[in-house]
Amino acid sequence: MWYAVEAGPGQEEAARQQLRGLVSRGLRGECRVLYCVRKKRYLGQWHDERERFLPGYVFFVTDESGGADAFMPEETVREGLPGSSGLFAVRREEEELLMRLTGGNDMVGMSYGVICDGSLKIQEGVLRGLEGRVKKIDRHKRKGYIAMRLGDEEKMAEIGLEITEKT
């Protein structure tokens, strides 16, 4: 079961350390800040860079179920993580997407594809088979945007996507 804590942009690593301190009382699971590989151009070449996948969010992954409040009361989260909006469960559909994108670690890799007759075809990478989730493509910056529902909000998450050909 995946749970998310909204920590605020730039506060993810600090929130992860604080959350680790809160859960060190016998709770099984791990805290994750998700990163993705993106391409950036500088010095005349394209370079792979590591950036946060969902800025402002820390994820807690556990085998225990029964709701977030069953194993970590919201008051504990609010006291341990000032400025946080609390801990909430990630929907099953989004949890499966996150597991597929990360492949069991904290990194979302690059994807490569082509656009044929106006439709996207991913040839390799984590987005293979998930073409319908891609809402927007920025070919110049080599980014794709996928929609994810976290809590009550729909977020647009940037992901590395290089279009190698357009026909």
Side-chain angles (χ1 to χ4, degrees):
M1 188 83 193
W2 285 55
Y3 297 93
V5 175
E6 190 172 2
Q11 302 298 315
E12 299 91 352
E13 288 296 336
R16 178 167 73 172
Q17 295 301 323
Q18 291 173 341
L19 191 58
R20 278 185 183 162
L22 288 175
V23 299
S24 64
R25 303 176 200 145
L27 182 63
R28 290 188 314 264
E30 61 178 309
C31 302
R32 292 184 178 180
V33 176
L34 301 181
Y35 292 91
C36 71
V37 176
R38 294 199 192 119
K39 299 270 186 179
K40 289 224 175 167
R41 186 173 176 88
Y42 54 89
L43 300 175
Q45 295 180 349
W46 287 95
H47 301 270
D48 288 345
E49 298 252 323
R50 180 181 143 172
E51 294 182 12
R52 288 187 181 87
F53 176 60
L54 286 165
Y57 286 92
V58 177
F59 294 93
F60 182 72
V61 183
T62 183
D63 294 334
E64 298 179 27
S65 60
D69 221 35
F71 66 89
M72 187 182 299
E74 190 171 327
E75 302 83 42
T76 307
V77 175
R78 288 190 190 275
E79 289 171 11
L81 294 168
S84 168
S85 63
L87 185 74
F88 58 89
V90 175
R91 292 178 29 211
R92 185 74 184 153
E93 173 185 321
E94 305 304 330
E95 180 181 330
E96 290 170 1
L97 175 65
L98 287 170
M99 286 190 298
R100 183 170 176 181
L101 290 176
T102 60
N105 58 23
D106 296 344
M107 186 68 70
V108 178
M110 279 289 293
S111 294
Y112 301 89
V114 297
I115 297 177
C116 290
D117 299 325
S119 66
L120 175 66
K121 304 281 188 239
I122 303 293
Q123 296 172 323
E124 70 176 270
V126 296
L127 287 177
R128 190 172 196 174
L130 297 172
E131 289 89 348
R133 300 279 311 222
V134 178
K135 302 298 180 196
K136 182 180 172 185
I137 299 170
D138 187 337
R139 291 181 58 205
H140 298 288
K141 294 185 180 180
R142 298 182 180 184
K143 291 181 188 178
Y145 296 86
I146 58 174
M148 296 189 68
R149 192 153 208 48
L150 291 175
D152 297 332
E153 299 179 42
E154 184 163 298
K155 300 280 185 184
M156 291 295 277
E158 293 180 5
I159 192 164
L161 174 60
E162 183 174 348
I163 302 300
T164 56
E165 183 180 345
K166 182 177 179 180
T167 59

